[in-house]
Amino acid sequence: GATGPTGLTEAAAVLPVAQKLAAILQSRGANVIMTRTTAATVGLTDRPVLARRANAHAFLSVHLNAFGDGTNPFTNHGTSTLFFHQASEPLARAIQSELMPRIGQRDIGIHYQNLAIARPTWYPSALAEGLFLMFPDQEAAMRNPEWQERYALGIAEGVTRYFAQLRAQTAARGARD
């Protein structure tokens, strides 16, 4: 978990985003299962187990990034979406493309990463890294409800687009058969 310059923790900063995301998805008919509803820690390996028990069709993880020692923050910052299984790449692409116009940060793309949270999933899973919490202006953005809503909406629009594309592909296959 990243921590901002004034002490805002990643867990506290992303929870309102996740709650807004859940509300948006529920308003669109999704059955949302939150793996974390407070700032208390839930283990990374426990979260996919909770999703699997709920028979999830997708797994979304909302995060903020931070740099390791020796990384130049002025050339490496931006927004990215990560995936582990190849089948999750279309979900990550859809989320990233919807986040970019809403967040306004540099697009650092979608990337494969060996994510403990996504390894045990067989359903599509993606991890959004909206901002770098270590920058004062980005930490301040995470305290702003309007900005939190934009972050949540970007993910929700990406998920909606992904499932619409999946339905279209399934319908096209059905029409050919």
Side-chain angles (χ1 to χ4, degrees):
T3 301
T6 67
L8 180 63
T9 64
E10 181 179 15
V14 298
L15 185 59
V17 175
Q19 291 167 330
K20 291 173 190 315
L21 173 59
I24 294 166
L25 292 174
Q26 287 167 337
S27 75
R28 296 177 181 185
N31 179 25
V32 176
I33 306 298
M34 300 278 291
T35 61
R36 193 170 67 79
T37 57
T38 69
T41 301
V42 175
L44 292 179
T45 57
D46 295 333
R47 296 177 198 191
V49 170
L50 294 167
R52 189 169 51 245
R53 287 182 183 153
N55 197 26
H57 292 130
F59 184 87
L60 309 169
S61 196
V62 182
H63 288 262
L64 299 170
N65 221 331
F67 294 115
D69 289 342
T71 303
N72 182 346
F74 300 105
T75 60
N76 294 301
H77 67 284
T79 298
S80 63
T81 305
L82 311 174
F83 66 95
F84 176 71
H85 294 289
Q86 183 92 26
S88 296
E89 185 176 349
L91 174 60
R93 280 195 189 287
I95 291 171
Q96 182 73 5
S97 69
E98 294 293 338
L99 279 173
M100 293 318 304
R102 288 168 180 84
I103 290 183
Q105 296 296 313
R106 190 170 141 249
D107 185 347
I108 54 176
I110 65 156
H111 305 280
Y112 161 84
Q113 196 160 27
N114 190 4
L115 301 166
I117 202 165
R119 260 180 272 159
T121 65
W122 59 84
Y123 37 82
S125 59
L127 187 150
E129 296 275 14
L131 294 175
F132 278 78
L133 192 57
M134 63 190 287
F135 292 110
D137 61 324
Q138 293 181 31
E139 180 190 39
M142 287 309 300
R143 295 181 189 276
N144 181 321
E146 181 184 307
W147 199 93
Q148 295 165 356
E149 183 77 21
R150 290 197 329 251
Y151 188 8
L153 187 59
I155 296 171
E157 290 295 329
V159 170
T160 300
R161 180 172 13 144
Y162 168 77
F163 279 106
Q165 291 169 340
L166 195 59
R167 277 191 303 278
Q169 291 168 352
T170 302
R173 276 193 295 271
R176 287 192 306 258
D177 293 341

